[in-house]
Amino acid sequence: MHPSAERTAAASVPLSRATIPSSRPRLPRLALAPCLLLQLLQLLPPRIPAATAFAPDVIRSLPGQPRGAPPFGQWAGYIPVGPAGRKKLFYWLTESVAAPQTKPLVLWLNGGPGCSSIGYGLFEELGPWRVANDAGRQLQFNPFAWNKLANVLFVDSPAGTGFSYSLDPSDLSTGDNQTALDTVQLLRAFLRRHPRYNGRTLLLAGESYAGHYIPQVAALLLSLAARPAQRVRVRVGGVLLGNPFVHATIDTNARTQFFYDHGLVSPQLFSRAAQCHFSADSVLPGVSCDAIMRAVATADSGIDPYDIYAPVCLSPAYLSLGLTTQRLRLARLVSSSSPSHAPGARGARGARGGEGAAEGQGASVKGGGGKGGVEGAGAVRGVDGAAGAGSGEEGGGVAGAADPYVASRACMDVWVRRYLQRAAVQRAIHAMPSTPGARPQQWMACSAMLQYASDDMAASMLPLLRRIMQAHVPLWIMSGDTDSVVPFTGTRQWIAALNLPLISPLLPWTLPPTRQVGGWVTSYKGLTFVTVRGAGHAVPLSRPASAFTIFGHFLRGLALPTD
């Protein structure tokens, strides 16, 4: 029996106040020593307000959860979407540590297409938990967790990603429009399960190929808001995109310039690539542009293209899981710096616009095309403001492992996979049935089965970004400056193509309380562009303090400190 059958049955039972714990169990009035009382309190489940919690999805506790972690509510489970509910999308809600009833809701999506928001976003980037060691059995609390400031909803999307799946294999062939429709349907069902979020501000955030997911979802929600009978009962209050893949031609062509500027290709090779207009399809007398661009594509060999200055994980355990191969397979789809070699660029329709594109009217839902993307299981980076010592084979398998950041972080993909594949963990988060003899899912960070529509991946999201800004929804772009897969130089180019009025020129922004330069910020009418110094593709992973600062200012609508 798959988890969905069990979860759907539970979800169909109307909730009554009697089915939901109204408060923590009462302690008998005993004369307890303060230290013993504190230990008992730490063992109690988180407080779940009556009439607001969806009981079947409550996470009571997680295996390896540390004592003394801040108390907050967590819910996880499957939400059926699509025809007859055959697609089961997995969600995990982490409520705010303080005053969740007053905080906005943030939807976070990782990219890929096909990479898990649970595995990356929740456990490696902005979520409240970190896997503490290579055994994959203990957790640590993330001091820069975004649920210190907001309620954060992580979703494995589309079906076939992470814990999400479909009963119909044909659903694994999908694209942008269908993914947006499924996400909005999930939000409707989520609000029915968690009605306390009706009417809240919804912030949409994500990274990498979420540069496609999030604009599509935002445009669809804004369109539906004008139709009272169809609107989703939330208010879109802002969009935050990290190193987003938005414009295939600009984003991929920028890689060659990025390689050259960072000393990864020779002046001679860069000159030949420029003669080819950075395209493998260019035809010049006596010149093989395809061979030249393939040579450029090898510039990131032996390094992590998602963070060119970070060490890579060389652990045999990492390599045996095939994670490095998966990462490089995904990255190489944009490595040629050519529109014809961009993710799914063949058969591209070019820039899209109009309401239909956001609502499934502009593209083939089942349109085939190659699979691929711009995000994968990259080596994990050292962090600013959070140290930790490594142990076991992972520490020994990392280049330069004497650095505690390296030893504790570079092989985190292995640690997370080991944790999420444990039967006890999957039972705790309702990702597998609790029946005797049930086997855990073989969870993977990035899907090898998803067939994503190629021309969707090549389409420009600039028309949708314009629509978001025209609706007066704040748009923030956050770019780590050591990412070569979606380099900030390309992002800078497509922002320039939007021709937005300049509000404030490029200025260094600073991290409180140290006042160290965290990066540079440029403000336009409707858009804020922030670079993060020393951060890779996943800013909350490699520079969590910087990402936390940016998120806090985005959340409050405040400018970053520039003095």
Side-chain angles (χ1 to χ4, degrees):
M1 184 180 185
H2 201 277
S4 65
E6 208 174 288
R7 309 297 304 139
T8 303
S12 65
V13 179
L15 294 181
S16 67
R17 189 175 294 272
T19 64
I20 303 173
S22 62
S23 64
R24 292 178 175 172
R26 292 187 177 182
L27 292 174
R29 294 183 178 276
L30 298 176
L32 297 176
C35 61
L36 180 57
L37 179 60
L38 179 62
Q39 290 178 9
L40 286 173
L41 288 172
Q42 290 171 350
L43 294 175
L44 293 176
R47 188 175 187 86
I48 304 167
T52 63
F54 186 77
D57 289 356
V58 171
I59 299 176
R60 298 292 174 181
S61 65
L62 292 169
Q65 182 172 320
R67 293 183 176 182
F72 56 91
Q74 296 183 90
W75 289 260
Y78 285 97
I79 292 180
V81 301
R86 70 192 185 204
K87 287 182 273 192
K88 318 295 181 180
L89 298 187
F90 189 81
Y91 84 97
W92 189 326
L93 170 66
T94 61
E95 283 205 318
S96 180
V97 170
Q101 69 278 6
T102 67
K103 302 294 177 62
L105 177 66
V106 178
L107 171 65
W108 175 269
L109 297 176
N110 279 84
C115 291
S116 170
S117 301
I118 308 301
Y120 285 112
L122 197 155
F123 276 97
E124 293 193 16
E125 298 186 57
L126 56 128
W129 306 116
R130 292 283 184 272
V131 180
N133 53 49
D134 58 356
R137 306 190 73 83
Q138 296 297 319
L139 297 178
Q140 295 173 335
F141 184 72
N142 174 16
F144 301 106
W146 288 13
N147 75 323
K148 286 186 171 183
L149 304 175
N151 306 291
V152 186
L153 172 63
F154 300 88
V155 178
D156 277 346
S157 177
T161 299
F163 286 118
S164 296
Y165 67 98
S166 177
L167 300 177
D168 186 341
S170 70
D171 288 330
L172 298 180
S173 177
T174 190
D176 284 353
N177 297 319
Q178 189 60 46
T179 299
L181 290 167
D182 289 347
T183 303
V184 170
Q185 189 177 353
L186 175 136
L187 285 171
R188 291 186 189 278
F190 172 85
L191 293 172
R192 289 193 293 270
R193 289 193 186 186
H194 302 275
R196 63 196 180 280
Y197 287 105
N198 279 308
R200 295 278 186 99
T201 296
L202 175 67
L203 304 173
L204 301 171
E207 71 186 24
S208 192
Y209 197 77
H212 277 231
Y213 294 159
I214 294 296
Q216 295 263 359
V217 172
L220 179 53
L221 289 172
L222 292 170
S223 176
L224 294 175
R227 309 171 190 175
Q230 300 180 36
R231 70 183 181 91
V232 181
R233 296 184 60 189
V234 292
R235 184 184 71 84
V236 179
V239 169
L240 172 63
L241 300 175
N243 286 76
F245 188 75
V246 166
H247 192 292
T249 302
I250 294 175
D251 285 329
T252 54
N253 283 356
R255 300 191 79 230
T256 306
Q257 183 74 50
F258 183 91
F259 286 156
Y260 176 66
D261 290 343
H262 289 78
L264 302 183
V265 299
S266 69
Q268 295 78 18
L269 180 57
F270 178 78
S271 177
R272 291 196 293 271
Q275 285 180 329
C276 293
H277 305 288
F278 307 110
S279 172
D281 292 338
S282 294
V283 178
L284 298 175
V287 177
S288 173
C289 288
D290 182 71
I292 289 170
M293 297 313 299
R294 289 185 184 279
V296 171
T298 65
D300 59 11
S301 298
I303 64 173
D304 181 357
Y306 296 94
D307 193 341
I308 63 169
Y309 297 127
V312 297
C313 181
L314 303 178
S315 162
Y318 188 98
L319 300 176
S320 69
L321 289 175
L323 295 174
T324 298
T325 300
Q326 171 85 358
R327 171 176 64 83
L328 294 178
R329 179 183 66 80
L330 292 169
R332 283 172 181 161
L333 288 164
V334 295
S335 65
S336 69
S337 297
S338 167
S340 63
H341 289 72
R346 299 200 181 275
R349 290 189 307 272
R352 71 177 67 187
E355 194 168 285
E359 296 189 63
Q361 300 171 11
S364 170
V365 170
K366 298 297 181 185
K371 57 189 174 183
V374 295
E375 177 175 326
V380 179
R381 277 65 81 183
V383 299
D384 55 340
S391 60
E393 62 184 354
E394 267 63 51
V398 179
D403 184 337
Y405 290 160
V406 175
S408 66
R409 302 292 177 180
C411 297
M412 192 186 289
D413 287 342
V414 180
W415 304 4
V416 170
R417 187 181 184 200
R418 285 173 178 167
Y419 184 79
L420 290 178
Q421 286 196 336
R422 293 176 56 199
V425 173
Q426 293 188 14
R427 281 193 293 268
I429 65 175
H430 318 124
M432 66 174 287
S434 56
T435 53
R439 298 177 64 85
Q441 295 191 56
Q442 291 300 304
W443 180 89
M444 287 291 292
C446 292
S447 174
M449 302 180 295
L450 198 67
Q451 300 286 333
Y452 211 82
S454 58
D455 39 355
D456 280 3
M457 289 189 283
S460 167
M461 294 294 105
L462 296 187
L464 296 184
L465 296 183
R466 287 192 182 97
R467 188 186 311 171
I468 290 167
M469 290 183 286
Q470 288 167 359
H472 305 290
V473 174
L475 173 61
W476 283 48
I477 308 296
M478 173 176 67
S479 287
D481 63 10
T482 64
D483 175 25
S484 75
V485 177
V486 187
F488 79 95
T489 49
T491 303
R492 186 169 57 193
Q493 290 178 44
W494 59 250
I495 289 175
L498 290 169
N499 293 314
L500 301 173
L502 181 66
I503 302 299
S504 177
L506 181 75
L507 291 170
W509 64 271
T510 55
L511 273 169
T514 64
R515 301 186 68 182
Q516 294 288 331
V517 172
W520 287 263
V521 58
T522 308
S523 298
Y524 302 88
K525 184 178 180 180
L527 185 149
T528 301
F529 178 43
V530 186
T531 63
V532 183
R533 188 163 66 101
H537 190 66
V539 175
L541 172 63
S542 52
R543 289 292 181 267
S546 297
F548 186 80
T549 298
I550 293 167
F551 176 65
H553 285 74
F554 162 74
L555 191 68
R556 297 178 177 92
L558 300 175
L560 286 164
T562 55
D563 55 5

